[in-house]
């Protein structure tokens, strides 16, 4: 079973950038497909980005496409989310998630596809 710990959140001005990290431990990181979600107060948890276990395939929610980039370093057991051109509506708690499942009917866009979740890191976008 893998444990996930997010870091890198904080306060940033609109138009600014942040890079979130998610460190995995307790499992063989390279077998897991990874994702990032976020949840703002009163909202459902929202899919943002996904990366396959061998990093050959990534995809993004329309709301962040072109602004956010997901990547991973299997040697460091870490997945990243580079966030650029941040907007006030990007403010939320950001969660890292992992799954070892080899198939998803939704293409890993549904949070029920994922098995493990971190505790989240807060991102605030404000001037």
């Amino acid at each position: 079973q893998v444990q996930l710990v997010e870091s890198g959140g904080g306060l940033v001005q609109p138009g600014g950038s942040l890079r979130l990290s998610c460190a995995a431990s307790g499992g063989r990181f390279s077998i897991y497909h990874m994702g990032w979600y976020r949840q703002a107060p009163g909202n459902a948890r929202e899919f943002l980005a996904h990366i396959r276990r061998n990093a050959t395939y990534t995809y993004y929610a329309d709301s962040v496409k072109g602004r956010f980039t997901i990547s991973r370093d299997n040697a460091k057991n870490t997945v990243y989310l580079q966030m650029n051109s941040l907007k006030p509506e990007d403010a939320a708690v950001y969660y890292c998630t992992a799954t070892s499942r080899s198939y998803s009917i939704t293409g890993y866009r549904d949070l029920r596809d994922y098995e493990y979740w971190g505790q989240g890191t807060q991102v605030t976008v404000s001037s």
Side-chain angles (χ1 to χ4, degrees), residues 3 5 18 26 28 32 47-48 69 76 80 96 98 107 110 112 127:
Q3 291 81 46
V5 179
L18 279 177
R28 190 154 56 96
Y32 293 99
F47 167 79
L48 299 177
T69 302
K76 295 183 178 180
Y80 305 96
C96 169
D110 190 317
R112 292 169 293 182
S127 54

Side-chain angles (χ1 to χ4, degrees), residues 37-60:
Y37 278 72
R38 68 186 178 191
Q39 188 166 19
N43 290 355
R45 197 163 292 193
E46 176 191 10
F47 167 79
L48 299 177
H50 172 87
I51 186 167
R52 296 294 164 86
R53 56 173 63 108
N54 55 9
T56 56
Y57 187 68
T58 60
Y59 55 84
Y60 301 87

Side-chain angles (χ1 to χ4, degrees), residues 37-105:
Y37 278 72
R38 68 186 178 191
Q39 188 166 19
N43 290 355
R45 197 163 292 193
E46 176 191 10
F47 167 79
L48 299 177
H50 172 87
I51 186 167
R52 296 294 164 86
R53 56 173 63 108
N54 55 9
T56 56
Y57 187 68
T58 60
Y59 55 84
Y60 301 87
D62 288 343
S63 59
V64 304
K65 197 176 298 182
R67 299 189 300 125
F68 290 11
T69 302
I70 188 171
S71 62
R72 68 189 294 163
D73 186 336
N74 285 351
K76 295 183 178 180
N77 293 348
T78 302
V79 63
Y80 305 96
L81 186 68
Q82 177 67 43
M83 307 187 295
N84 299 328
S85 303
L86 283 162
K87 307 173 183 179
E89 53 263 42
D90 293 318
V93 178
Y94 282 68
Y95 297 93
C96 169
T97 185
T99 182
S100 60
R101 295 171 180 157
S102 297
Y103 175 74
S104 163
I105 194 169

